[in-house]
Amino acid sequence: MFGRNKQDKLNFWSLWFTEELQIQSVLSVCCGRVRAMEASETEGRTFMQAICEKYSPENFPCRRGPGMGVVVVPSGPQGSPMKDRLNMPSVLVLNGCGISHAGEQGEISAFCAHVVELDLSHNKFQNWHEISKIVSNVPNLEFLNLSSNQLRDAALDSDCAKAFSSIRRLVLNNTQVSWDTVHTFSQEMPELEELFLCLNEYTTVTLAAMPCPTLRLLHITDNNLHDWSEVRKFGSMFPALDTLIMANNNLNSIQDSGEILRRLFPNLRSINLHNAGLNRWEDIEKLNFLPKLEEVRLQGIPLLRDYTSMERRYLTIAQLPSVTCLNGSVVTDSEREDAERFFIRYHLDHSEEELPHR
């Protein structure tokens, strides 16, 4: 009996080892076929070339476990169907790989069926159609990063944008994409919740013909949006906006009345105005008109430069009675009480004209 069990174990491990060798052999053949078919590409590499090089058996051994998606390896070189399976990560990071084209779409579909996050930043894409060929063959994709690709002049039509319909988080930092492109995406992506548009050299905002009802987070730091009249447009474009991050835009003031602010941003819970150009307490007070505001970030604004760190925090907390988190730190009940007392003492010697509206 012992001998039989021992032989069974040997047979099991022999079979397992043979299957693993077959998987690696098939992947090597497949990658070699992809390289051979696409050797004529002169401008950058294809998506499949980058995958085969980064996730080849030599560089990325087969393994099983959490975060690994099962991928069916395509037919072998003789055309016979292969039933072997290969494990690939559900999060693919292919940044800076020199990719400019999709490559064989059947291969993409076979390798990336279970991919949910894809980082294609710092590549050589200049064409939305090539990107859509990739995305349309990754059916479970929820996160896509295209930062630092040259897409300023790339035209995007609605049919092409439909390939992105399952994506919830889209990163377009440092791509200089036009607002027309942004609006086309927002109309054709019914699941879009988070949009990143940093470092795109925007000085103005173009209104969309139709609002995007699903977007909750807009990250638009390091642009040139100085005038509140441009920021105001986000309210009508993204009515469900929960978080607005627009640090390093040198915003000069908040010009709307309380009624307009309540109407435009009814769901805004968090706003980041780091390094804005705000220099009046009236601008800070206007944030109180945002009915759901809980979190504010205000570091680096001219208004607060001449105060000590304690004065900055206490005076700002007193001006924002509904805010529960300031500059990343929770406002406790005792801190709010201290801030209110400090606020009163601080203004005791001021004339009535100098007193804040509170």
Side-chain angles (χ1 to χ4, degrees):
M1 188 68 180
F2 176 81
R4 257 179 55 188
N5 288 340
K6 184 176 182 181
Q7 187 60 44
D8 288 344
K9 289 180 181 178
L10 288 173
N11 290 339
F12 170 81
W13 286 112
S14 176
L15 179 61
W16 178 86
F17 184 70
T18 301
E19 289 178 347
E20 291 297 307
L21 286 178
Q22 286 178 337
I23 291 172
Q24 295 197 12
S25 175
V26 170
L27 180 60
S28 297
V29 171
C30 180
C31 290
R33 189 167 74 252
V34 170
R35 294 190 185 99
M37 287 190 305
E38 299 167 347
S40 60
E41 298 286 358
T42 57
E43 295 184 7
R45 294 186 295 168
T46 68
F47 179 73
M48 280 310 306
Q49 282 177 313
I51 281 185
C52 286
E53 290 178 17
K54 181 165 184 177
Y55 297 103
S56 67
E58 295 82 9
N59 299 326
F60 193 81
C62 298
R63 50 181 177 162
R64 295 177 174 85
M68 306 299 291
V70 178
V71 176
V72 179
V73 178
S75 300
Q78 283 79 35
S80 59
M82 301 296 296
K83 296 182 180 179
D84 299 301
R85 291 177 179 267
L86 175 70
N87 286 280
M88 291 277 286
S90 59
V91 177
L92 288 185
V93 179
L94 295 170
N95 60 314
C97 291
I99 306 170
S100 61
H101 294 78
E104 175 57 45
Q105 295 186 62
E107 302 282 3
I108 298 172
S109 178
F111 276 78
C112 301
H114 296 277
V115 170
V116 295
E117 295 190 14
L118 178 58
D119 184 348
L120 292 174
S121 60
H122 297 274
N123 279 290
K124 297 183 178 181
F125 289 107
Q126 299 182 38
N127 189 313
W128 284 113
H129 287 283
E130 289 299 318
I131 300 172
S132 70
K133 290 177 187 177
I134 297 171
V135 174
S136 62
N137 286 285
V138 189
N140 294 297
L141 192 64
E142 296 183 356
F143 170 86
L144 177 63
N145 185 356
L146 293 170
S147 297
S148 299
N149 282 279
Q150 300 174 28
L151 297 168
R152 180 195 296 269
D153 300 319
L156 176 68
D157 57 55
S158 58
D159 288 337
C160 183
K162 285 182 172 67
F164 298 75
S165 60
S166 68
I167 294 174
R168 297 177 181 274
R169 294 177 291 155
L170 179 62
V171 185
L172 298 173
N173 297 339
N174 194 32
T175 57
Q176 284 76 52
V177 293
S178 68
W179 281 107
D180 286 341
T181 295
V182 173
H183 298 329
T184 301
F185 273 132
S186 68
Q187 294 306 303
E188 302 297 339
M189 297 174 66
E191 306 293 330
L192 185 63
E193 295 179 357
E194 299 180 8
L195 180 61
F196 296 72
L197 297 172
C198 309
L199 294 161
N200 281 337
E201 302 178 6
Y202 296 137
T203 58
T204 60
V205 176
T206 302
L207 273 170
M210 296 282 291
C212 175
T214 57
L215 195 76
R216 295 176 56 80
L217 180 147
L218 178 62
H219 203 306
I220 193 163
T221 64
D222 294 282
N223 282 282
N224 299 301
L225 301 176
H226 305 319
D227 198 318
W228 181 259
S229 62
E230 303 300 324
V231 180
R232 178 190 303 136
K233 298 172 185 177
F234 297 141
S236 57
M237 288 161 53
F238 309 119
L241 197 64
D242 170 276
T243 302
L244 176 58
I245 305 173
M246 51 176 303
N248 305 327
N249 274 279
N250 200 29
L251 180 71
N252 51 31
S253 66
I254 299 176
Q255 299 159 344
D256 283 330
S257 66
E259 183 57 37
I260 292 176
L261 288 171
R262 273 191 290 265
R263 177 171 53 83
L264 285 179
F265 296 100
N267 297 297
L268 195 66
R269 184 193 58 81
S270 175
I271 190 168
N272 184 330
L273 296 171
H274 280 346
N275 298 321
L278 304 179
N279 56 19
R280 302 180 308 158
W281 280 111
E282 288 85 345
D283 293 317
I284 309 304
E285 289 175 335
K286 284 185 177 181
L287 296 176
N288 290 311
F289 291 110
L290 301 172
K292 294 187 179 180
L293 192 67
E294 297 176 354
E295 181 178 358
V296 174
R297 292 176 182 264
L298 283 169
Q299 291 177 327
I301 64 174
L303 171 66
L304 301 175
R305 284 175 187 162
D306 294 334
Y307 295 97
T308 67
S309 58
M310 185 191 74
E311 289 172 340
R312 289 189 200 108
R313 186 163 178 86
Y314 276 1
L315 291 175
T316 306
I317 289 172
Q319 291 281 8
L320 299 171
S322 298
V323 168
T324 58
C325 186
L326 176 65
N327 295 328
S329 297
V330 173
V331 178
T332 64
D333 291 340
S334 61
E335 185 181 30
R336 180 163 294 285
E337 185 176 344
D338 291 341
E340 294 287 351
R341 290 174 175 170
F342 179 86
F343 181 82
I344 294 171
R345 291 196 304 270
Y346 185 85
H347 290 98
L348 280 177
D349 298 329
H350 289 68
S351 65
E352 187 173 344
E353 292 77 16
E354 296 175 310
L355 292 176
H357 292 301
R358 283 206 66 201

